[in-house]
Amino acid sequence: MPEHPPTFHITTWGCQMNEEDSEQMALSMEQMGYERAPNAESADVVLLNTCSVRRKPEEKVYSRLGELRELKQQRPELIVGVCGCMAQVESAGIRRRAPFVDLILGTGNVGALPALIRSARERRAAGGGASVEHAVAALELPARKGAVVTDVPLRSLARRPKLKAFVPIMYGCDKFCTFCIVPNTRGRERSRPADEIVGEAEGLARAGTREVTLLGQTVNSYGKNLADGRVPFARLLERLDAVRGLRRIRFTSPYARDFTDELVETIARLGTVCEHVHLPLQVADDDLLRRMRRGYTVAEYARVLEKLRSSVPGIAVTTDLMLGFPGETDEQFRNTLRFVEEARFDAAFMFAYSMRPGTRAAEMANQVPHEVKIARLRELIELQNGITVARNRALVGAELEVLVEGRSPRDPTRMTGLTRTFKTVNFAADDRHTGKLVAVRLVEAHLTGFTGELAR
């Protein structure tokens, strides 16, 4: 009987960029002849694509590695790899705490995965076993600021047809915020050529993709260092707006300091660019913003927010908020609460500051006690959740365009999809609507979205 093809399984933590990296890795595995496995227990290769922005995701990775250690004892032929941001900055710790790991793959070397898999297989076949000495690794990051990224495959040629897709347009970051480890995990800022991005979007649209999300650590910084001349982010959006068959364009995450009037006008003018902006704030205190090295003041952020809302009717603005930065006083925390109350964000990703080794903030004095951070976070969450529910309730009765993605995971009797403003709507319909843009009337508001009905 013929042998079954080998299988792989990828577990992903972190941001959309990590999800995109996982998709690239999956395509590489499939091109090597591997098939996807439903879980690690049935896979021949297990890859953990990790996040290092906060401590909790790292703890989850080590916990998962403990489980894989037991699985590896039962199946010594299993190949285990640690990839992504944590692999980039914690390779020595991974080797020490999980010496059975076969390969370590950094964020700048996704294309090296097939070679690492082959090398790990060859070492195992030669009887090398798994040890600190035998783990193979690729951890090189571009050292030069402004290097142009030209080695990203046009995955539209290999991807399975899908309704929505991520398209990376730039990698790395040059902001060097004092709390952030991203420049260490993903390197300096570098952009992909505009022609390549447009070509990928065209291929995706031909294959049935109707919505793309453009990815970058500070996505509106795109194009500053392209060798063939700067291509402003607003100009890239104009080119993508002309792609035949593409119905929606999203992007994440922009940076307040680089949010130009031209970009606001472009969002307002282009029909495919969705009326939603995720604009990280972090805190609403100028002294903390300065010590974070964010490069903008609260007033400057507020001006961008006002321009977006005055220029783009009905736009939804979401944000990131971080409590407990070193030295944060109770009054500074109250400043953030007051701004959140006034700004009325549609939603926010809220978290407590997590010390990251290798960042300037980790060395700062006056670290805020954990219990204080958690108490402040709870108060902030209560405030913002109330605002989110109130803003959602104000939309009840409206008819909004929804891109139908399929059955709701929480209620398979209903279909689900997102509005242009990035709000989830569940409604009664059938599978014939999947992949279509439909008008849905919002009938009930919740914290996480809406219950709706097809508009007749």
Side-chain angles (χ1 to χ4, degrees):
M1 294 181 64
E3 292 185 3
H4 293 292
T7 58
F8 72 96
H9 183 76
I10 302 176
T11 300
T12 308
W13 290 268
C15 65
Q16 294 98 327
M17 189 66 80
N18 276 24
E19 293 180 37
E20 165 60 22
D21 288 346
S22 289
E23 183 168 7
Q24 288 192 46
M25 289 188 281
L27 289 171
S28 293
M29 297 297 293
E30 289 175 342
Q31 289 169 357
M32 293 175 68
Y34 284 76
E35 293 185 353
R36 300 178 190 239
N39 51 56
E41 287 69 26
S42 59
D44 298 301
V45 174
V46 174
L47 302 175
L48 306 183
N49 193 12
T50 62
C51 173
S52 197
V53 172
R54 298 189 310 281
R55 182 180 302 135
K56 191 171 183 178
E58 291 187 355
E59 293 172 349
K60 290 181 178 179
V61 172
Y62 281 121
S63 175
R64 183 60 176 144
L65 284 172
E67 297 169 356
L68 291 175
R69 184 196 303 270
E70 297 180 6
L71 186 60
K72 185 115 173 171
Q73 290 172 347
Q74 302 168 20
R75 297 170 49 212
E77 74 282 1
L78 174 67
I79 297 294
V80 176
V82 180
C83 316
C85 295
M86 181 178 167
Q88 190 69 52
V89 295
E90 288 289 330
S91 61
I94 293 167
R95 292 172 186 268
R96 183 179 66 255
R97 296 178 60 175
F100 61 89
V101 166
D102 297 280
L103 65 92
I104 301 174
L105 180 70
T107 58
N109 303 95
V110 174
L113 179 61
L116 291 187
I117 294 287
R118 287 192 290 269
S119 180
R121 287 283 185 214
E122 290 168 1
R123 289 177 180 228
R124 185 163 300 287
S131 68
V132 172
E133 293 79 12
H134 289 281
V136 293
L139 297 167
E140 294 298 319
L141 279 176
R144 182 168 61 87
K145 176 181 178 180
V148 178
V149 181
T150 59
D151 58 349
V152 178
L154 292 182
R155 293 170 308 285
S156 55
L157 303 178
R159 282 171 161 168
R160 300 173 180 178
K162 58 192 305 185
L163 187 62
K164 304 195 305 182
F166 293 129
V167 175
I169 67 170
M170 61 178 293
Y171 295 85
C173 184
D174 287 345
K175 304 303 184 190
F176 291 94
C177 300
T178 57
F179 59 83
C180 185
I181 201 170
V182 166
N184 296 339
T185 62
R186 290 196 172 271
R188 302 301 298 270
E189 181 180 302
R190 53 211 191 275
S191 298
R192 294 176 65 192
D195 287 347
E196 184 176 305
I197 295 167
V198 173
E200 179 170 355
E202 289 172 340
L204 288 167
R206 284 193 298 269
T209 296
R210 293 296 170 259
E211 176 180 306
V212 297
T213 300
L214 310 179
L215 298 182
Q217 298 302 143
T218 53
V219 71
N220 54 332
S221 301
Y222 168 80
K224 290 181 178 178
N225 300 297
L226 287 175
D228 57 351
R230 185 176 179 219
V231 180
F233 182 59
R235 174 58 182 151
L236 178 65
L237 290 178
E238 289 177 347
R239 292 189 61 183
L240 291 170
D241 179 71
V243 172
R244 186 183 183 92
L246 202 58
R247 303 297 297 274
R248 288 181 172 184
I249 299 170
R250 301 187 188 276
F251 55 88
T252 194
S253 289
Y255 200 75
R257 191 176 71 191
D258 296 330
F259 220 105
T260 64
D261 290 348
E262 179 191 20
L263 179 54
V264 173
E265 185 275 332
T266 300
I267 294 170
R269 176 169 49 86
L270 298 182
T272 58
V273 177
C274 290
E275 296 82 10
H276 168 244
V277 170
H278 183 79
L279 189 63
L281 169 65
Q282 305 306 345
V283 293
D285 180 87
D286 285 343
D287 180 60
L288 287 180
L289 288 172
R290 178 185 58 78
R291 292 198 291 116
M292 289 178 173
R293 287 191 58 180
R294 292 294 289 174
Y296 54 81
T297 64
V298 176
E300 289 167 343
Y301 181 98
R303 279 196 291 272
V304 174
L305 184 61
E306 191 279 328
K307 288 176 185 177
L308 284 167
R309 286 177 167 164
S310 62
S311 302
V312 188
I315 192 171
V317 180
T318 56
T319 194
D320 292 342
L321 298 167
M322 178 175 65
L323 278 302
F325 185 78
E328 180 186 66
T329 65
D330 188 65
E331 180 57 30
Q332 289 171 328
F333 166 61
R334 296 292 160 191
N335 287 341
T336 296
L337 288 184
R338 282 190 286 269
F339 186 86
V340 168
E341 179 68 58
E342 295 170 2
R344 312 295 289 178
F345 293 111
D346 286 77
F349 178 55
M350 299 166 280
F351 54 97
Y353 165 75
S354 178
M355 184 186 297
R356 298 286 77 202
T359 62
R360 291 179 60 183
E363 302 173 357
M364 291 181 179
N366 301 320
Q367 296 287 330
V368 177
H370 177 74
E371 59 273 16
V372 175
K373 289 191 287 188
I374 297 303
R376 290 175 179 173
L377 180 60
R378 287 173 179 164
E379 188 171 352
L380 175 66
I381 289 173
E382 182 178 4
L383 171 63
Q384 179 56 53
N385 284 355
I387 293 170
T388 297
V389 170
R391 290 187 68 86
N392 286 349
R393 285 175 177 166
L395 290 171
V396 169
E399 291 185 9
L400 299 179
E401 176 192 279
V402 173
L403 179 59
V404 186
E405 299 177 29
R407 296 279 170 182
S408 169
R410 294 187 177 183
D411 184 358
T413 67
R414 295 179 180 272
M415 306 300 283
T416 190
L418 289 175
T419 67
R420 290 174 60 91
T421 52
F422 207 67
K423 295 180 185 291
T424 300
V425 184
N426 296 319
F427 56 98
D430 56 49
D431 292 326
R432 291 176 299 173
H433 294 86
T434 299
K436 296 181 179 179
L437 292 166
V438 299
V440 178
R441 182 179 298 106
L442 308 181
V443 297
E444 186 177 353
H446 315 283
L447 175 62
T448 56
F450 298 87
T451 301
E453 60 185 14
L454 285 172
R456 303 298 179 185

